[in-house]
Amino acid sequence: MPQSAEKVLDHAKLFHEPEYQEMLARKRDTFECPASAEAVEAQREYTKTWGYREKNLAREAAVINPAKACQPLGAVFAAAGFEKTMSFVHGSQGCVAYYRSHLSRHFKEPASAVSSSMTEDAAVFGGLNNMIDGLANTYSLYEPKMIAVSTTCMAEVIGDDLKSFIQNAKKKGSVPEEYDVPFAHTPAFVGSHVDGYDNMIKGVLDHFWAGKERKAGDTINIIPGFDGFCVGNNREYKRILDLMGVKYTLIQDASDQFDTPSDGHFRMYSGGTTLADTEAALNAKATVSLQAWCTRKTLDYIGETGQETASFHYPLGVAATDELLMKISALAGVAIPEQLTLERGRLIDAMADSQAYLHGKKYAIFGDPDFVQAMARFVMETGGEPTHCLATNGTKAWEEEMRTLLASSPFGGDAKVWGGKDLWALRSLMLTEPVDFLIGSSYGKYLERDTGTPLIRLTFPIFDRHHHHRFPLVGYQGGLRLLTTILDKVFDKLDRDSEVPAKTDISFDLTR
Amino acid sequence: MSLDYENDGALHEKVIEEVLSAYPDKFAKRRKKHLSVAKGAEEGATGAEGEDGQVLSECDVKSNIKSIPGVMTVRGCAYAGSKGVVWGPIKDMVHISHGPVGCGQYSWSQRRNYYVGTTGIDTFVTMQVTSDFQERDIVFGGDKKLTKVIDELEQMFPLSHGITIQSECPIGLIGDDIEAVAKKKTKEIDKTIVPVRCEGFRGVSQSLGHHIANDTIRDWVLDKKDNAFEAGPYDVNVIGDYNIGGDAWASRILLEEIGLRVVGNWSGDATLGEIERSPKAKLNLIHCYRSMNYICRHMEEKYGIAWMEYNFFGPSQIAVSLRKIAKHFGPEIEAKAEAVIEKYKPLVDAVIAKYRPRLEGKSVMLYVGGLRPRHVITAYEDLGMEIAGTGYEFAHSDDYQRTGHYVRKGTLIYDDVTGYELEKFIERIRPDLVGSGIKEKYPVQKMGIPFRQMHSWDYSGPYHGYDGFAIFARDMDLAINNPVWGLFDPPWKKDEAPLLQAAE
């Protein structure tokens, strides 16, 4: 009997025990009708070939292991960045259970959102009554200061019109007439979660700004974009902006919402951009988006108000941070303080100390478009080569920008850009053109297993490691974390490759 | 091992009143029907006998009706019930999440249906395969795309034994004919292809998805292929064990030990072949009644296979169940069952000796789905713990009836509980442990109350069987007796020292 009270074995060890191994072999041989071991081995080998890769990359309809989610997830994340705001997703209720779970599994935090719980009758008659009842219930039970409405694909397919529905609900007294109910249509069959983010931010701004006269002031709006590292990153943005003495409004700040303390009380709402600040942001001098692909429509909309706009692709590493600081410095008319110059120097110092271990390393990078762009840039700054750059939600325009970026450095010479491709395609790419490291989300762990390439988890979602998102990756300080995370994997790999006593451990060096 | 306790029914009545007062009148009235306090018990009922024992209480509430909009229901949808629960674990088939990308993405690898196989070669459980609908598919229909998806999957995964089409919301709304595609492609590629109408807007919860999935197995798999197999006298199917964290394996090992052969496991670690051969078994053993009673009733009607509910959580129920199952097969198996119970007794005794003193008298609130809100109760009681409240996401009235065999008088019962209600219940009752899902975990822990996810076993498991019970006991202990719960109050605000027990 493998189990004992003294040393309880759970799944990680229990099923390795002979009793279970024998049972599973018996199951397979007697009952499963499996493919033969030879056929499995032959197919496994075949998937490593260029022939398989060709077919894999030629797929036009089947999507296998995509690295993207749907619009409403982005909208729910966006709404979480505003003061005491409840996300209300109009449509089927299962979707909302999924967004909440998805966000909770990454942040290890509560994720609140409600659904209008539409079912078959609503599919026939429309979901107006669900909106009327739903808003009333959310308002009384959860006492939010604002309810941000988005849609599941069900409501989009049947064509429910949020604007008129919300007006109707207000007339019926679900919420007071002057109560804030911004909305965004977020069809799951268009774009991805980064577009849902974009649509919700635009919806919120339009709700507060529409019909108002802009009086140009001197603050700068900063929109961080969809960011699973918002907890660490937003605080780092704020620290930098405070150091620079800039007057700013962070539009959409979920850093406190997804990082509430354990002190005996559950806070359904915490932090976020205040509604007053959101409204006043119309009068800003300029708006800076830190993730351009997350804010395409929003920036166009803001541009139309007469504000200056600027956008970046997630400020990872040296040059990207330099550019951001210089732009903010120019927009706000402030100098870049000595403190930040010092931090820059420290990051460069660290990079110089470690350059020998990074120079010439090859990477596969996947994630959202802005992340991949930023990461490829940082990798090249360390002398690495971003061999495969893949974004399932990357567009043709993204591919173009990526090619320009890669062409700007000798380290990007052999790199390829894969917009719209999924992680099953990346499997073929990595098996035919191997790399040293894989950078992405937890979904990459299957690629790590199948290709033997160590995975460095640096982007959303990270389900199987804890708390990474609490530390910033952006700016010079964040750059240190980024650098160290990559280096840890490099050194761990060196150690793993040299740990067999009397065989490979000649290189098991104490100092590296 | 049985416990004798009664809950504070009066307090629970009061708490129900309190939460209802927060709703607009119309909805307070509707929610009231879903909340109750278990009434009256039969004299001498012990609770150790589960659904075959005496009725302990009556805990009837309204169930299986639509959730109220805007209240933060915990429920999922029909797609989750079909793809996520019933079909998804079948390992040698490719399951297409047919529609937009999200549903498949959020459910990807999240249910911990363990399996053995080479993923992407002969097994496909932890993969997310989707037709990734775009606007043009909504406008022009998705059947052509689906056809192409199937062709491409055939190229990518030639060793798969079949395909299922798991419909997401848009499919039923735009009038696609996935059945026609399935029929046509089945002929072309000579593999089982199953169209499933589990659009998320159907029904009121996951539950209809289970039912629809069961029906599609009936209509598209059973009796479709001649899967030769020599049946034996002790062949059984295990129905409704999804092998979460290896549950089905920890159960199978016991069934084999008492001399039975498990022909098919529905559906954790299952292959299509196992499902196809199931009608040849002598008895269906059903663990999750809620999600798979439909197919049991069908097999009973069509093939004359009897079915039997059992419970493999905790030693009391395992022993009761093993004896009940063995009785069906006669003295030889019964003798083996007794030997198995005897064999594991030292393990059970050691586990209880170690953990019961650390858990005795601790109160638990549960809110889960399927069978667990009742089935795990006796496992807790085996450890000396008491159940203060329990409820189901998607139960029907027959589930609440069965619950009466498990819960004591005064237990708080909540059906399709809302985020607001659950938070208030927990705040007022302050149990020593809450067992629920990922969405509930972090709010509860922030309140300073230990928590275990009871859908995924909080990434642990198995919890079934004797091997699983040891893990269950360890996990409940480590949740409750971790020192972190004593660190919540800063020393400059602290007024009493926490009571803790160091890990052993």
Side-chain angles (χ1 to χ4, degrees):
Chain A
M1 201 190 313
Q3 192 63 288
S4 73
E6 299 77 58
K7 192 165 190 292
V8 175
L9 301 181
D10 62 22
H11 60 87
K13 289 273 166 64
L14 182 65
F15 300 127
H16 300 176
E17 294 291 321
E19 289 90 337
Y20 279 98
Q21 286 295 307
E22 284 158 24
M23 182 188 82
L24 292 172
R26 215 160 42 236
K27 174 177 186 289
R28 180 183 162 85
D29 296 341
T30 323
F31 302 109
E32 290 192 351
C33 317
S36 73
E38 299 74 44
V40 170
E41 194 44 36
Q43 175 65 16
R44 210 169 67 85
E45 284 304 316
Y46 173 52
T47 62
K48 297 178 183 169
T49 64
W50 283 83
Y52 187 86
R53 163 176 163 154
E54 203 174 297
K55 285 183 187 158
N56 195 355
L57 291 175
R59 271 186 288 124
E60 289 174 342
V63 172
I64 306 167
N65 297 352
K68 67 169 179 182
C70 66
Q71 280 212 43
L73 180 81
V76 168
F77 174 84
F82 293 92
E83 176 192 10
K84 274 199 94 177
T85 296
M86 178 62 80
S87 256
F88 182 105
V89 192
H90 184 53
S92 300
Q93 69 192 17
C95 314
V96 174
Y98 278 146
Y99 316 139
R100 295 180 61 207
S101 305
H102 203 69
L103 293 169
S104 279
R105 287 179 178 128
H106 169 80
F107 287 109
K108 316 295 177 201
E109 287 288 320
S112 301
V114 299
S115 163
S116 66
S117 294
M118 284 165 67
T119 52
E120 268 170 306
D121 53 339
V124 179
F125 302 111
L128 175 59
N129 286 331
N130 298 65
M131 178 71 77
I132 294 170
D133 292 345
L135 287 179
N137 282 325
T138 306
Y139 183 75
S140 351
L141 286 185
Y142 299 109
E143 297 170 340
K145 207 164 173 185
M146 172 162 99
I147 299 176
V149 181
S150 52
T151 47
T152 78
C153 57
M154 177 200 183
E156 287 301 317
V157 172
I158 65 173
D160 278 3
D161 177 18
L162 290 183
K163 189 171 185 179
S164 73
F165 277 23
I166 292 166
Q167 274 169 0
N168 255 306
K170 284 187 168 178
K171 268 189 211 129
K172 296 259 183 189
S174 300
V175 295
E177 198 65 48
E178 67 289 349
Y179 184 75
D180 294 310
V181 188
F183 65 91
H185 285 274
T186 49
F189 45 82
V190 176
S192 73
H193 57 288
V194 301
D195 302 284
Y197 180 94
D198 192 8
N199 285 330
M200 183 46 86
I201 299 294
K202 177 169 174 262
V204 170
L205 296 184
D206 189 53
H207 169 80
F208 285 104
W209 295 3
K212 299 209 173 83
E213 188 83 25
R214 173 172 178 261
K215 298 183 203 84
D218 56 359
T219 60
I220 310 287
N221 298 326
I222 308 282
I223 308 179
F226 187 100
D227 186 4
F229 279 68
C230 63
V231 171
N233 282 347
N234 287 6
R235 289 173 188 163
E236 180 63 10
Y237 291 137
K238 289 188 266 193
R239 191 187 68 90
I240 292 171
L241 292 162
D242 288 339
L243 272 174
M244 293 176 77
V246 178
K247 269 174 73 183
Y248 66 93
T249 303
L250 204 56
I251 295 181
Q252 201 279 326
D253 178 9
S255 59
D256 288 348
Q257 180 66 29
F258 290 122
D259 189 24
T260 57
S262 269
D263 58 1
H265 305 285
F266 162 50
R267 297 159 176 78
M268 184 164 268
Y269 312 103
S270 181
T273 312
T274 65
L275 305 191
D277 283 353
T278 308
E279 186 171 355
L282 171 64
N283 302 323
K285 178 170 193 283
T287 294
V288 175
S289 163
L290 302 181
Q291 294 195 73
W293 302 110
C294 293
T295 50
R296 282 166 284 178
K297 286 185 182 163
T298 300
L299 276 200
D300 284 351
Y301 172 80
I302 293 174
E304 284 163 21
T305 67
Q307 276 189 39
E308 193 178 340
T309 64
S311 65
F312 295 85
H313 295 296
Y314 207 48
L316 300 184
V318 181
T321 305
D322 293 348
E323 283 168 17
L324 175 65
L325 296 190
M326 288 191 292
K327 184 71 194 181
I328 300 228
S329 149
L331 283 172
V334 295
I336 296 171
E338 195 48 38
Q339 171 72 21
L340 288 173
T341 312
L342 197 62
E343 286 177 15
R344 184 181 190 279
R346 287 174 183 149
L347 173 61
I348 310 290
D349 183 69
M351 288 166 69
D353 295 344
S354 312
Q355 52 82 19
Y357 291 92
L358 298 173
H359 193 100
K361 289 283 183 297
K362 288 177 189 289
Y363 300 84
I365 302 168
F366 75 90
D368 287 341
D370 290 292
F371 172 78
V372 175
Q373 211 158 331
M375 204 61 234
R377 197 173 181 191
F378 178 66
V379 156
M380 292 194 294
E381 282 182 343
T382 66
E385 298 176 24
T387 308
H388 308 297
C389 300
L390 183 143
T392 309
N393 47 356
T395 58
K396 289 268 172 270
W398 173 77
E399 288 187 307
E400 280 309 306
E401 274 202 33
M402 279 297 295
R403 287 198 189 96
T404 310
L405 168 70
L406 295 169
S408 71
S409 160
F411 296 93
D414 294 327
K416 294 221 174 59
V417 183
W418 304 97
K421 295 296 178 195
D422 51 39
L423 300 185
W424 190 254
L426 185 55
R427 185 179 185 273
S428 274
L429 296 171
M430 290 169 65
L431 286 168
T432 47
E433 295 176 272
V435 294
D436 299 303
F437 296 95
L438 171 65
I439 295 177
S441 67
S442 285
Y443 294 126
K445 77 184 298 172
Y446 299 120
L447 294 168
E448 180 174 39
R449 176 193 60 196
D450 290 358
T451 69
T453 317
L455 168 66
I456 305 170
R457 292 163 179 80
L458 282 167
T459 194
F460 178 89
I462 299 177
F463 296 138
D464 62 339
R465 296 291 184 272
H466 293 189
H467 312 311
H468 289 207
H469 67 277
R470 295 179 194 270
F471 301 92
L473 300 177
V474 297
Y476 305 126
Q477 293 270 58
L480 284 173
R481 171 89 185 163
L482 201 56
L483 182 75
T484 311
T485 307
I486 296 172
L487 282 167
D488 277 349
K489 204 57 102 167
V490 172
F491 292 127
D492 283 347
K493 174 93 167 68
L494 271 175
D495 283 345
R496 262 212 318 280
D497 291 347
S498 61
E499 65 190 1
V500 183
K503 281 214 160 113
T504 60
D505 73 343
I506 40 174
S507 314
F508 197 67
D509 291 328
L510 181 63
T511 306
R512 299 198 194 273
Chain B
M1 252 172 260
S2 69
L3 293 178
D4 198 14
Y5 65 93
E6 197 177 291
N7 282 297
D8 186 349
L11 169 74
H12 293 173
E13 296 279 8
K14 195 160 166 272
V15 185
I16 290 176
E17 251 172 64
E18 282 171 22
V19 300
L20 290 173
S21 70
Y23 285 91
D25 287 350
K26 176 177 161 192
F27 296 105
K29 245 176 159 174
R30 271 172 66 181
R31 280 305 304 159
K32 190 172 183 198
K33 298 173 182 158
H34 296 263
L35 308 172
S36 84
V37 175
K39 295 172 221 29
E42 281 180 25
E43 282 301 313
T46 64
E49 289 152 57
E51 42 227 50
D52 301 302
Q54 287 162 295
V55 174
L56 299 175
S57 64
E58 209 176 287
C59 39
D60 243 13
V61 286
K62 274 261 187 207
S63 60
N64 196 33
I65 51 180
K66 275 195 284 188
S67 303
I68 296 170
V71 296
M72 208 172 321
T73 172
V74 179
R75 282 174 169 178
C77 62
Y79 164 90
S82 175
K83 187 267 188 181
V85 174
V86 175
W87 276 109
I90 298 181
K91 64 182 177 178
D92 58 348
M93 299 178 85
V94 178
H95 308 290
I96 305 169
S97 293
H98 189 38
V101 70
C103 316
Q105 202 71 7
Y106 309 126
S107 53
W108 182 2
S109 293
Q110 294 301 351
R111 221 164 165 264
R112 304 192 62 240
N113 308 111
Y114 279 9
Y115 64 102
V116 180
T118 309
T119 304
I121 307 298
D122 64 349
T123 47
F124 311 92
V125 180
T126 48
M127 299 181 72
Q128 141 54 344
V129 177
T130 173
S131 47
D132 188 16
F133 261 34
Q134 301 299 304
E135 197 150 27
R136 61 179 177 274
D137 303 314
I138 302 287
V139 176
F140 299 111
D143 287 340
K144 269 195 187 147
K145 185 173 203 176
L146 178 60
T147 306
K148 199 165 188 186
V149 168
I150 293 171
D151 287 336
E152 290 178 356
L153 291 177
E154 202 37 28
Q155 274 201 329
M156 290 293 102
F157 309 123
L159 298 184
S160 83
H161 288 154
I163 286 171
T164 72
I165 302 156
Q166 305 289 330
S167 301
E168 300 172 7
C169 285
I171 305 306
L173 298 172
I174 61 176
D176 274 10
D177 189 354
I178 58 170
E179 288 80 8
V181 175
K183 278 184 190 148
K184 182 164 161 275
K185 296 310 287 183
T186 296
K187 271 192 202 141
E188 272 179 44
I189 66 172
D190 194 27
K191 280 184 185 175
T192 301
I193 302 180
V194 184
V196 191
R197 289 283 181 182
C198 55
E199 289 89 343
F201 60 80
R202 292 192 199 276
V204 303
S205 67
Q206 296 92 313
S207 188
L208 189 62
H210 305 141
H211 197 155
I212 291 167
N214 276 231
D215 288 354
T216 53
I217 297 179
R218 178 194 66 200
D219 297 341
W220 295 80
V221 177
L222 298 185
D223 298 327
K224 292 295 174 213
K225 274 191 182 156
D226 185 27
N227 194 331
F229 173 67
E230 202 175 315
Y234 300 118
D235 288 357
V236 298
N237 295 310
V238 168
I239 310 279
D241 188 329
Y242 303 103
N243 204 30
I244 289 163
D247 279 343
W249 296 332
S251 304
R252 186 185 191 96
I253 207 161
L254 295 178
L255 295 171
E256 286 193 359
E257 278 186 80
I258 67 167
L260 304 181
R261 291 208 314 171
V262 182
V263 176
N265 194 87
W266 294 48
S267 58
D269 190 41
T271 62
L272 180 61
E274 290 180 47
I275 305 289
E276 285 168 346
R277 289 161 163 186
S278 290
K280 295 186 172 137
K282 299 288 181 289
L283 176 69
N284 279 331
L285 296 173
I286 181 163
H287 210 236
C288 182
Y289 170 84
R290 180 70 278 127
S291 58
M292 282 209 179
N293 75 84
Y294 318 101
I295 202 73
C296 290
R297 292 175 198 280
H298 168 72
M299 285 201 254
E300 183 177 39
E301 213 171 278
K302 180 140 190 215
Y303 313 105
I305 305 175
W307 54 279
M308 183 184 282
E309 291 177 60
Y310 72 106
N311 180 350
F312 267 5
F313 288 106
S316 304
Q317 284 298 315
I318 296 173
V320 169
S321 293
L322 284 176
R323 288 185 175 122
K324 181 165 77 160
I325 295 165
K327 201 168 169 205
H328 183 88
F329 289 97
E332 196 187 324
I333 301 293
E334 282 185 287
K336 283 189 186 168
E338 291 307 324
V340 168
I341 294 167
E342 203 52 37
K343 173 186 160 188
Y344 283 96
K345 197 166 177 297
L347 171 67
V348 169
D349 290 346
V351 168
I352 289 175
K354 179 173 176 184
Y355 292 108
R356 184 160 175 151
R358 304 165 65 81
L359 298 169
E360 187 90 54
K362 301 284 187 193
S363 62
V364 185
M365 284 176 72
L366 297 168
Y367 182 67
V368 218
L371 67 151
R372 292 165 179 174
R374 61 175 179 276
H375 265 192
V376 298
I377 287 177
T378 32
Y380 281 109
E381 291 177 349
D382 286 341
L383 294 167
M385 300 169 77
E386 301 174 2
I387 305 299
T390 191
Y392 298 79
E393 277 182 43
F394 49 81
H396 300 202
S397 59
D398 50 357
D399 292 299
Y400 284 102
Q401 247 165 27
R402 284 165 166 75
T403 310
H405 293 265
Y406 283 97
V407 303
R408 314 287 164 146
K409 187 179 169 191
T411 306
L412 183 61
I413 307 290
Y414 26 88
D415 177 72
D416 184 20
V417 82
T418 68
Y420 177 83
E421 290 163 2
L422 191 61
E423 184 195 329
K424 295 294 165 204
F425 289 158
I426 293 168
E427 214 172 72
R428 291 285 271 118
I429 296 170
R430 289 210 66 95
D432 298 301
L433 179 74
V434 174
S436 190
I438 183 72
K439 304 190 288 297
E440 295 70 59
K441 179 179 172 105
Y442 301 106
V444 172
Q445 290 193 165
K446 285 182 194 291
M447 289 154 77
I449 296 174
F451 187 98
R452 288 296 295 182
Q453 290 183 65
M454 293 301 281
H455 299 262
S456 67
W457 303 151
D458 230 316
Y459 322 119
S460 177
Y463 282 176
H464 289 179
Y466 290 114
D467 289 347
F469 177 63
I471 305 164
F472 174 80
R474 179 201 69 179
D475 289 353
M476 299 311 137
D477 174 45
L478 65 82
I480 289 178
N481 290 313
N482 188 277
V484 73
W485 311 116
L487 300 172
F488 273 47
D489 297 329
W492 54 94
K493 287 186 180 173
K494 218 174 222 169
D495 40 42
E496 62 187 59
L499 291 168
L500 287 176
Q501 303 193 48
E504 270 181 18

